[in-house]
Amino acid sequence: KVLPLLIAAAFASPAAMAAARSRSATTLRLEKVAAHAQFVRVQQMRTDLVKVARKQIGDRYSAGSSGPNAFDCSGLTRYVYKVVTGKELPHYSGAQYASAKKISRSKARPGDLVFFMRGGAHHVGLYIGNGKMIDAPGYGEPVRVSPISGSWWSRTYSGIGRILPA
């Protein structure tokens, strides 16, 4: 099967060879355009995740709630991802932690998830950049912007997880 192809290639006209190279270059350009378009779509989703999360700032904490006006921590991240991407995240921070790709803090991008409680994940927030997240912290505290470091946060930090592609 290979021999006939080699023979055909050996006897191909220069014009046929140039056309084949041109098709290859066109295919490569189309693949690059498609990859760039995918990158742009993901970046827009990341921006939209942060926008939707910001709109929830001030909403009340309610255990077991996933919006639209009250949230617990995993309910907030679940709600934001559902609104922006249509993707259903589990309503439990540990399950969100298990389903996310773990990345280093230095690679965190807005829209990634930040998990706390060493050895697992009992709290989650949506990373917004510059070392901050939006989270639903607990009883008596509304949805807010919080640091991902500091005394309590640093002691309980579990990691960052990625749901969307980089």
Side-chain angles (χ1 to χ4, degrees):
K1 292 182 179 181
V2 174
L3 186 57
L5 293 174
L6 292 174
I7 293 170
F11 291 102
S13 69
M17 294 298 287
R21 280 192 300 277
S22 176
R23 278 192 302 277
S24 295
T26 300
T27 300
L28 184 59
R29 281 192 299 275
L30 290 174
E31 288 171 357
K32 285 182 179 180
V33 167
H36 180 71
Q38 172 68 11
F39 174 80
V40 169
R41 278 192 301 276
V42 169
Q43 295 315 303
Q44 185 60 56
M45 276 193 263
R46 289 181 175 285
T47 298
D48 292 345
L49 287 166
V50 173
K51 283 181 185 175
V52 171
R54 283 191 183 282
K55 288 180 183 176
Q56 310 321 306
I57 292 173
D59 287 350
R60 70 183 175 85
Y61 178 89
S62 178
S65 295
S66 56
N69 301 310
F71 302 92
D72 65 10
C73 66
S74 62
L76 175 64
T77 53
R78 182 177 201 249
Y79 173 81
V80 170
Y81 264 84
K82 178 68 173 169
V83 167
V84 174
T85 70
K87 184 176 181 98
E88 288 272 355
L89 297 182
H91 192 172
Y92 170 59
S93 55
Q96 289 180 9
Y97 182 75
S99 66
K101 178 184 175 192
K102 307 319 174 280
I103 60 170
S104 68
R105 191 182 298 209
S106 65
K107 294 189 188 229
R109 295 183 142 177
D112 290 335
L113 301 179
V114 187
F115 298 96
F116 298 89
M117 293 295 188
R118 290 195 190 277
H122 295 44
H123 186 68
V124 61
L126 185 90
Y127 187 69
I128 62 172
N130 298 319
K132 296 181 180 177
M133 67 177 168
I134 295 175
D135 70 323
Y139 292 105
E141 297 287 331
V143 173
R144 66 183 184 191
V145 174
S146 299
I148 68 167
S149 59
S151 61
W152 186 83
W153 299 112
S154 292
R155 285 193 315 271
T156 61
Y157 176 81
S158 295
I160 296 186
R162 179 160 288 160
I163 302 294
L164 295 177

